């Protein structure tokens, strides 16, 4: 556990996007820490919310089905909270290009609704905002640190960057304590696997378990880093518990960075019928692909004593095992 997590015992915590992949894993850990947890999720089918993600803690959390774009709902939901983990968002890069206004409304306008609700009704709340490595765009150098130029290549990256800025502005001007984590490829039990809207790794795992061919776009030599969900939850808790996070931006990342071909090799070794093929990029994906990316995450290590603990092979094995047992709740049922 990260240092300082005893602060969550008896605390009142709100998680936006709480029935999604990261929100549900965070909720489970907070329940273990004796926090009172409220999850808000719109359960819009195109996004990641899935009630099965909290089936084991359903009677230990409060669930509110609401949309972060509803300012009246958010004004009520933020009241009395000690911590707000702001994880709700539209994560599909392709969807952000085909439907930019929905991405704008969720990833930018809704963030102002949330922050204004806090300004008016709960300035004492501590906020952790989940952002993305996508704000950097195509790397000018590797590993990418927090000083790297910000040049997003898609609408999603532009809007997430605006969301970051609003949180830091309200931290500086209104003293509503906020910090930002820039997540890289997060994976693990509970992620959306029915399609590639949340992460390409999700659809890879589905195809692996269905016995169909994984498609690796491009050359397969693009390098990426990956964080298992348990490590991301540790980072979120550390940011919330530690004053050193306030007004700061932190990269997450991993010491391991592998090519996509090597990642596919790891996966297919886990199933006897596993196979993949390297295929050309579809034009819409090629236009917004960032190439090689891996993070310099030393800043969060120095400030919050965080570093990833789960290696890629272990994390993938745990993820594949989870979906082998529970796949009916993630794609066969239309979840």
């Amino acid at each position: 556990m990260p240092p300082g997590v005893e602060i969550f015992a008896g605390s009142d915590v709100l998680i936006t996007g709480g029935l999604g992949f990261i929100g549900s894993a965070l909720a489970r850990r907070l329940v273990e820490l004796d926090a009172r947890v409220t999850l808000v999720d719109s359960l819009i089918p195109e996004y990641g919310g899935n009630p099965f993600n909290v089936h084991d803690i359903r009677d230990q959390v409060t669930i509110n089905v609401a949309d972060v774009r509803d300012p009246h709902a958010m004004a009520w939901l933020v009241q009395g909270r000690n911590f707000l983990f702001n994880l709700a968002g539209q994560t599909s890069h392709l969807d952000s290009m085909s439907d930019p206004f929905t991405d704008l409304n969720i990833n930018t306008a809704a963030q102002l609704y949330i922050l204004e609700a806090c300004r008016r009704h709960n300035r004492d709340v501590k906020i952790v905002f989940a952002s993305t490595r996508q704000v950097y765009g195509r790397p000018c150098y590797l590993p990418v640190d927090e000083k790297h130029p910000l040049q997003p290549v898609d609408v999603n990256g532009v809007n997430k960057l605006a969301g970051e800025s609003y949180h830091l502005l309200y931290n500086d001007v209104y003293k509503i304590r906020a910090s930002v984590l820039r997540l890289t490829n997060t994976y693990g039990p509970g992620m959306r696997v029915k399609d590639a809207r949340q992460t390409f790794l999700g659809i890879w795992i589905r195809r692996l378990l269905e016995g169909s061919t994984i498609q690796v776009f491009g050359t397969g030599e693009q390098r990426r880093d990956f964080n298992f969900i348990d490590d991301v939850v540790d980072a979120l808790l550390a940011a919330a518990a530690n004053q050193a996070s306030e007004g700061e931006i932190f990269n997450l990342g991993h010491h391991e960075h592998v090519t996509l071909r090597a990642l596919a090799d790891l996966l297919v070794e886990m199933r006897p019928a596993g196979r993949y093929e390297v295929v050309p990029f579809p034009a819409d994906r090629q236009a917004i692909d960032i190439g090689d990316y891996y993070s310099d995450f030393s800043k969060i290590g120095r400030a919050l004593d965080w570093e990833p603990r789960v290696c890629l092979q272990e994390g993938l094995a745990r993820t594949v095992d989870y979906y082998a047992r529970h796949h009916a709740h993630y794609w066969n049922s239309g979840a």
Side-chain angles (χ1 to χ4, degrees):
M1 287 286 187
V5 294
E6 61 276 359
I7 196 173
F8 296 110
S11 65
D12 203 318
V13 180
L14 179 67
I15 304 174
T16 67
L19 294 178
F21 166 37
I22 299 174
S24 59
L26 175 62
R28 188 169 295 106
R29 188 81 66 83
L30 285 163
V31 165
E32 294 173 3
L33 294 169
D34 295 322
R36 298 188 301 274
V37 181
T38 298
L39 310 178
V40 56
D41 203 293
S42 64
L43 287 177
I44 295 172
E46 290 78 15
Y47 305 139
N50 185 338
F52 185 76
N53 282 343
V54 296
H55 73 279
D56 54 329
I57 56 169
R58 177 62 187 86
D59 61 348
Q60 298 170 276
V61 298
T62 300
I63 296 174
N64 189 296
V65 179
D67 197 310
V68 292
R69 290 170 289 184
D70 181 345
H72 303 292
M74 295 314 302
W76 180 75
L77 284 165
V78 302
Q79 294 180 38
R81 311 297 180 184
N82 303 115
F83 298 97
L84 166 56
F85 292 93
N86 192 5
L87 311 182
Q90 196 294 111
T91 61
S92 170
H93 305 300
L94 285 179
D95 285 357
S96 81
M97 301 301 289
S98 61
D99 185 7
F101 290 104
T102 295
D103 193 277
L104 174 72
N105 289 333
I106 295 174
N107 288 330
T108 302
Q111 306 312 313
L112 269 181
Y113 291 144
I114 293 168
L115 290 164
E116 274 295 282
C118 294
R119 183 178 71 86
R120 296 181 181 187
H121 302 289
N122 185 4
R123 292 196 183 198
D124 293 328
V125 70
K126 172 73 178 284
I127 307 173
V128 180
F129 176 62
S131 186
T132 171
R133 59 162 171 75
Q134 201 72 5
V135 300
Y136 294 118
R138 297 184 180 94
C140 301
Y141 57 82
L142 293 165
V144 173
D145 59 19
E146 291 86 353
K147 296 179 180 179
H148 187 282
L150 303 174
Q151 42 198 22
V153 297
D154 59 25
V155 170
N156 179 264
V158 171
N159 290 332
K160 291 297 283 188
L161 181 56
E164 287 185 7
S165 299
Y166 287 134
H167 282 78
L168 297 181
L169 177 71
Y170 276 62
N171 178 92
D172 295 344
V173 175
Y174 300 118
K175 310 307 177 186
I176 298 171
R177 297 166 298 155
S179 61
V180 173
L181 300 186
R182 288 177 177 157
L183 278 54
T184 184
N185 297 287
T186 305
Y187 71 101
M191 67 180 176
R192 185 181 176 101
V193 294
K194 66 184 296 184
D195 53 34
R197 271 197 163 94
Q198 193 171 74
T199 167
F200 72 88
L201 187 52
I203 192 65
W204 281 20
I205 288 172
R206 175 178 177 175
R207 288 177 174 167
L208 178 75
L209 292 173
E210 288 181 329
S212 56
T213 302
I214 293 169
Q215 290 189 320
V216 181
F217 294 140
T219 65
E221 297 307 312
Q222 309 96 305
R223 301 191 74 85
R224 299 288 165 83
D225 56 356
F226 299 84
N227 282 136
F228 189 65
I229 183 62
D230 290 1
D231 289 332
V232 173
V233 169
D234 282 347
L236 290 163
L237 293 175
N242 197 318
Q243 289 183 349
S245 72
E246 293 164 15
E248 296 292 339
I249 294 172
F250 300 102
N251 285 345
L252 300 191
H254 205 287
H255 306 288
E256 295 178 276
H257 35 89
V258 300
T259 66
L260 298 189
R261 188 189 292 268
L263 177 67
D265 284 332
L266 282 173
L267 280 175
V268 300
E269 288 171 3
M270 296 179 182
R271 306 293 288 188
R275 61 187 184 276
Y276 71 89
E277 60 180 351
V278 178
V279 300
F281 262 111
D284 56 351
R285 293 184 181 275
Q286 177 71 70
I288 60 174
D289 182 63
I290 62 170
D292 293 345
Y293 178 92
Y294 48 93
S295 294
D296 178 339
F297 53 92
S298 58
K299 179 181 176 182
I300 193 172
R302 293 190 303 270
L304 305 183
D305 195 27
W306 178 88
E307 64 174 283
R309 295 177 294 115
V310 180
C311 72
L312 184 59
Q313 186 160 13
E314 177 191 345
L316 289 175
R318 290 165 62 179
T319 305
V320 169
D321 176 70
Y322 178 85
Y323 287 102
R325 290 182 289 114
H326 298 300
H327 60 84
H329 300 281
Y330 291 90
W331 67 82
N332 292 349
S333 63

